[in-house]
Amino acid sequence: MSGTMYKSNIVGYSTHMKRRTDVNSVTNWNAPLVWEGTFDPVVIDAIYTKMDPRIAVVVFAVGKYTRFLKGFIESGEKHFMTGFRVTYYIFTDNKDQVPQVQLGKGHNISVLTVPSAKRWQEVVLGRMKWATTTIDEKIRNEADYLFMMDIDSVFGAESLSRLSAVLHRGYYKNTERDGFPYKRRPESKAYIPAGEGDYYYTAAVWGGYLEDMYRLVRYCYEQSEEDAKNKIEAVWQEESHLNKYLLYNKPTKVLSPEYLWSDYDKVPEDIKVVRISQLIKDYAQVRPNGGQ
């Protein structure tokens, strides 16, 4: 598959391509909403190959989640930004479990140590803390774009923008804003009032220009810390804060659920290509508190 990447509001269309009419391909704030069949990867590749950007991929493999590292990296080497400079920043509590994988030209792995956790929620919330610190101290000098992803995923293809967000597969067909699982408790920093909202985005894949991602990651970390001081934990941890941020800081590109589908779910007709797949797993086995 192509090593395609996108920036800002540019989407390439070839003259022979027929635009899809079964899906929306633009948001109400005029940002592209990317589906297979709504862009020409050849045009975009030609533009961005000349730029030679440095891409950072941040993933956390804590506890038993290290079992997913090999598949993640191997699929990334086949499908993620082939022909571009890529560094996988792997945060783990067990460096010995990081596999040796043959990497392509210009691709590297940087392993960073983080503490173990007793609750999977601690891992989720800790991602924002450690990512914020590491961007400040290290990644800022080594990358132009940054992707944050769940380790239990495998690549198919990808898209970058100044700030990209992926529609959650469980809610992308929802037409009622009050049907989104936003944090509705006013005491929480993730609070979104009833009747407000654009989409519901997943926190399993998000990416963009490094400084834009830094502002978003730092926001999620700081807001989670404020909630913790008040003994509040948003229902979906950083995903709740992510949705709050993106409501008032619109992404420059919205990616369809093709960019994170799940092996648990049947693929519907409007999903023409599964670009990133979330693997089936037994949460009771891989999560430190048995998935609770």
Side-chain angles (χ1 to χ4, degrees), residues 123-165:
V123 178
V124 171
L125 293 170
R127 294 197 316 172
M128 302 302 100
K129 173 184 176 180
W130 296 112
T132 298
T133 301
T134 308
I135 292 171
D136 254 338
E137 297 177 352
K138 181 177 176 67
I139 300 177
R140 177 175 277 116
N141 301 318
E142 301 175 355
D144 305 302
Y145 289 87
L146 184 144
F147 246 99
M148 288 197 69
M149 295 190 62
D150 281 359
I151 193 63
D152 56 340
S153 304
V154 292
F155 291 95
E158 68 297 316
S159 177
L160 282 181
S161 170
R162 180 166 181 172
L163 188 60
S164 295

Side-chain angles (χ1 to χ4, degrees), residues 19-256:
R19 299 190 187 188
R20 289 178 61 176
T21 58
D22 61 322
V23 294
N24 290 327
S25 59
V26 65
T27 69
N28 60 10
W29 61 92
N30 249 0
L33 205 171
V34 180
W35 295 81
E36 174 67 16
T38 64
F39 64 93
D40 188 341
V42 176
V43 173
I44 306 302
D45 275 349
I47 294 171
Y48 289 104
T49 298
K50 298 177 182 179
M51 295 177 62
D52 192 27
R54 301 168 298 171
I55 313 298
V57 181
V58 171
V59 292
F60 284 73
V62 177
K64 295 180 180 179
Y65 274 85
T66 54
R67 68 181 65 183
F68 299 112
L69 273 170
K70 190 172 187 293
F72 180 89
I73 299 170
E74 287 180 343
S75 66
E77 287 305 288
K78 290 180 181 178
H79 304 301
F80 184 76
M81 299 294 175
T82 55
F84 293 91
R85 291 180 286 171
V86 175
T87 299
Y88 301 95
Y89 294 88
I90 299 172
F91 292 74
T92 183
D93 58 345
N94 193 342
K95 286 188 174 184
D96 294 339
Q97 294 297 313
V98 177
Q100 297 294 317
V101 176
Q102 184 67 39
L103 301 178
K105 182 180 178 181
H107 287 203
N108 299 284
I109 290 176
S110 180
V111 181
L112 303 107
T113 301
V114 294
S116 299
K118 295 180 179 179
R119 300 170 62 242
W120 66 267
Q121 292 90 341
E122 293 174 12
V123 178
V124 171
L125 293 170
R127 294 197 316 172
M128 302 302 100
K129 173 184 176 180
W130 296 112
T132 298
T133 301
T134 308
I135 292 171
D136 254 338
E137 297 177 352
K138 181 177 176 67
I139 300 177
R140 177 175 277 116
N141 301 318
E142 301 175 355
D144 305 302
Y145 289 87
L146 184 144
F147 246 99
M148 288 197 69
M149 295 190 62
D150 281 359
I151 193 63
D152 56 340
S153 304
V154 292
F155 291 95
E158 68 297 316
S159 177
L160 282 181
S161 170
R162 180 166 181 172
L163 188 60
S164 295
V166 179
L167 298 183
H168 194 293
R169 70 183 188 279
Y171 301 96
Y172 77 101
K173 292 183 178 180
N174 197 320
T175 58
E176 297 294 330
R177 292 172 174 174
D178 289 345
F180 294 138
Y182 296 140
K183 185 66 176 178
R184 298 299 192 184
R185 182 180 174 185
E187 292 82 4
S188 173
K189 291 293 184 179
Y191 170 64
I192 295 177
E196 292 191 19
D198 299 313
Y199 303 103
Y200 188 77
Y201 306 102
T202 177
V205 180
W206 30 315
Y209 184 62
L210 185 107
E211 292 302 328
D212 290 83
M213 280 293 288
Y214 174 69
R215 284 190 286 271
L216 173 50
V217 171
R218 186 180 63 183
Y219 172 88
C220 291
Y221 166 53
E222 292 177 345
Q223 298 303 92
S224 296
E225 288 290 289
E226 285 297 311
D227 269 2
K229 291 177 184 177
N230 296 315
K231 301 188 184 323
I232 298 172
E233 184 177 284
V235 61
W236 294 113
Q237 293 81 41
E238 93 274 30
E239 188 170 89
S240 297
H241 296 285
L242 167 75
N243 275 274
K244 171 73 173 287
Y245 182 92
L246 293 177
L247 175 58
Y248 301 111
N249 301 269
K250 308 294 189 190
T252 54
K253 187 179 296 297
V254 175
L255 307 177
S256 73

